[in-house]
Coordinates of all heavy atoms in Angstrom, one line a residue:
E60 N 177.5 -40.9 40.8 CA 177.8 -42.3 41.3 C 179.1 -42.3 42.1 O 179.2 -43.1 43.0 CB 177.9 -43.3 40.2 CG 179.1 -43.2 39.3 CD 179.1 -42.2 38.2 OE1 178.1 -41.5 38.1 OE2 180.0 -42.2 37.4
T61 N 179.9 -41.2 41.9 CA 181.1 -41.2 42.7 C 180.8 -41.0 44.2 O 181.7 -41.4 45.0 CB 182.0 -40.0 42.2 OG1 181.3 -38.8 42.2 CG2 182.6 -40.3 40.8
S62 N 179.7 -40.4 44.6 CA 179.4 -40.3 46.0 C 179.2 -41.7 46.6 O 179.6 -41.9 47.7 CB 178.1 -39.4 46.2 OG 177.0 -40.1 45.6
L63 N 178.6 -42.6 45.9 CA 178.4 -44.0 46.3 C 179.8 -44.7 46.4 O 180.1 -45.4 47.4 CB 177.5 -44.8 45.4 CG 176.0 -44.2 45.4 CD1 175.2 -45.1 44.4 CD2 175.4 -44.2 46.8
E64 N 180.5 -44.5 45.4 CA 181.9 -45.1 45.3 C 182.8 -44.6 46.4 O 183.5 -45.4 47.1 CB 182.5 -44.8 43.9 CG 183.7 -45.7 43.6 CD 184.1 -45.5 42.1 OE1 183.8 -44.5 41.5 OE2 184.7 -46.4 41.6
K65 N 182.7 -43.3 46.7 CA 183.5 -42.7 47.8 C 183.1 -43.3 49.1 O 183.9 -43.6 49.9 CB 183.3 -41.2 47.7 CG 184.1 -40.4 48.8 CD 183.9 -38.9 48.7 CE 184.6 -38.2 49.7 NZ 184.3 -36.8 49.8
L66 N 181.8 -43.4 49.3 CA 181.3 -44.0 50.6 C 181.8 -45.4 50.8 O 182.3 -45.7 51.9 CB 179.7 -44.0 50.6 CG 179.1 -44.6 51.8 CD1 179.3 -43.8 53.0 CD2 177.6 -44.8 51.5
I67 N 181.9 -46.2 49.8 CA 182.4 -47.5 49.8 C 183.9 -47.5 50.1 O 184.4 -48.2 51.0 CB 182.1 -48.3 48.5 CG1 180.6 -48.5 48.3 CG2 182.8 -49.7 48.6 CD1 179.8 -49.4 49.2
K68 N 184.6 -46.7 49.4 CA 186.1 -46.7 49.5 C 186.6 -46.2 50.8 O 187.6 -46.6 51.3 CB 186.7 -45.9 48.4 CG 186.7 -46.5 47.0 CD 187.4 -45.7 46.0 CE 187.4 -46.5 44.7 NZ 188.1 -45.7 43.6
E69 N 185.8 -45.3 51.4 CA 186.2 -44.7 52.7 C 185.9 -45.5 53.9 O 186.1 -45.1 55.0 CB 185.7 -43.3 52.8 CG 186.3 -42.3 51.9 CD 185.6 -40.9 52.0 OE1 184.6 -40.8 52.6 OE2 186.2 -40.0 51.3
S70 N 185.3 -46.7 53.7 CA 184.8 -47.6 54.8 C 185.7 -48.8 54.9 O 186.4 -49.2 54.0 CB 183.4 -48.0 54.5 OG 182.6 -46.9 54.4
S71 N 185.7 -49.4 56.1 CA 186.4 -50.6 56.3 C 185.9 -51.7 55.4 O 184.8 -51.7 54.9 CB 186.3 -51.0 57.8 OG 185.0 -51.5 58.1
K72 N 186.7 -52.8 55.2 CA 186.3 -53.9 54.4 C 185.0 -54.5 54.8 O 184.2 -54.8 54.0 CB 187.4 -55.0 54.4 CG 188.6 -54.6 53.6 CD 188.4 -54.8 52.1 CE 189.6 -54.5 51.3 NZ 189.4 -54.3 49.9
E73 N 184.9 -54.7 56.1 CA 183.7 -55.3 56.7 C 182.5 -54.5 56.4 O 181.4 -54.9 56.0 CB 183.8 -55.6 58.2 CG 182.7 -56.4 58.8 CD 183.0 -56.6 60.2 OE1 183.3 -55.7 61.0 OE2 182.7 -57.8 60.6
K74 N 182.6 -53.2 56.6 CA 181.5 -52.2 56.4 C 181.1 -52.1 55.0 O 180.0 -51.9 54.6 CB 181.8 -50.9 57.1 CG 180.7 -49.9 57.1 CD 181.0 -48.6 57.8 CE 179.9 -47.6 57.7 NZ 180.2 -46.4 58.3
Q75 N 182.1 -52.2 54.1 CA 181.9 -52.0 52.6 C 180.8 -53.0 52.1 O 179.9 -52.6 51.4 CB 183.1 -52.3 51.8 CG 184.1 -51.2 51.9 CD 185.4 -51.5 51.1 OE1 185.5 -52.5 50.5 NE2 186.3 -50.5 51.1
Q76 N 180.8 -54.2 52.6 CA 179.8 -55.2 52.1 C 178.4 -54.9 52.6 O 177.5 -55.0 51.9 CB 180.2 -56.6 52.5 CG 179.4 -57.7 51.9 CD 179.4 -57.6 50.4 OE1 180.3 -57.4 49.7 NE2 178.2 -57.9 49.8
W77 N 178.4 -54.4 53.8 CA 177.0 -54.0 54.4 C 176.5 -52.8 53.7 O 175.3 -52.7 53.4 CB 177.2 -53.8 55.9 CG 177.6 -55.0 56.7 CD1 177.4 -56.3 56.4 CD2 178.4 -54.9 57.9 NE1 177.9 -57.1 57.3 CE2 178.6 -56.3 58.3 CE3 178.9 -53.9 58.7 CZ2 179.2 -56.7 59.4 CZ3 179.6 -54.3 59.8 CH2 179.7 -55.6 60.2
L78 N 177.4 -51.8 53.4 CA 177.0 -50.6 52.6 C 176.5 -51.0 51.2 O 175.4 -50.6 50.8 CB 178.1 -49.6 52.5 CG 178.5 -48.9 53.7 CD1 179.9 -48.2 53.5 CD2 177.5 -47.9 54.2
R79 N 177.2 -51.9 50.6 CA 176.8 -52.4 49.3 C 175.4 -53.1 49.3 O 174.6 -52.9 48.5 CB 177.8 -53.4 48.7 CG 179.0 -52.9 48.1 CD 179.9 -54.0 47.4 NE 181.0 -53.4 46.8 CZ 182.2 -53.3 47.4 NH1 182.4 -53.9 48.6 NH2 183.2 -52.8 46.8
E80 N 175.2 -53.8 50.4 CA 173.9 -54.5 50.6 C 172.8 -53.5 50.7 O 171.7 -53.7 50.0 CB 174.0 -55.3 51.9 CG 172.8 -56.2 52.1 CD 172.9 -57.1 53.3 OE1 174.0 -57.4 53.8 OE2 171.8 -57.4 53.9
G81 N 173.0 -52.4 51.4 CA 171.9 -51.4 51.5 C 171.7 -50.7 50.2 O 170.6 -50.4 49.8
I82 N 172.8 -50.3 49.6 CA 172.7 -49.6 48.3 C 172.0 -50.5 47.2 O 171.2 -50.1 46.5 CB 174.1 -49.1 47.8 CG1 174.6 -48.1 48.8 CG2 174.0 -48.6 46.4 CD1 176.1 -47.7 48.6
F83 N 172.5 -51.8 47.2 CA 171.9 -52.7 46.3 C 170.4 -52.8 46.4 O 169.7 -52.8 45.4 CB 172.5 -54.1 46.5 CG 171.9 -55.2 45.6 CD1 172.3 -55.4 44.3 CD2 170.9 -56.0 46.2 CE1 171.7 -56.4 43.6 CE2 170.3 -57.0 45.4 CZ 170.8 -57.2 44.1

């Protein structure tokens, strides 16, 4: 799960929400 967490953390705030949306 750290690969998903890493992807989120390494992204801008705006992009984080969109990444979360796709993962969700």
Side-chain angles (χ1 to χ4, degrees):
E60 73 275 5
T61 54
S62 64
L63 297 176
E64 197 167 23
K65 183 179 177 185
L66 177 65
I67 299 289
K68 284 183 179 180
E69 292 177 349
S70 300
S71 68
K72 286 283 185 194
E73 187 176 46
K74 188 176 177 184
Q75 285 179 0
Q76 190 54 40
W77 299 330
L78 289 168
R79 278 189 180 96
E80 188 178 330
I82 293 168
F83 174 82

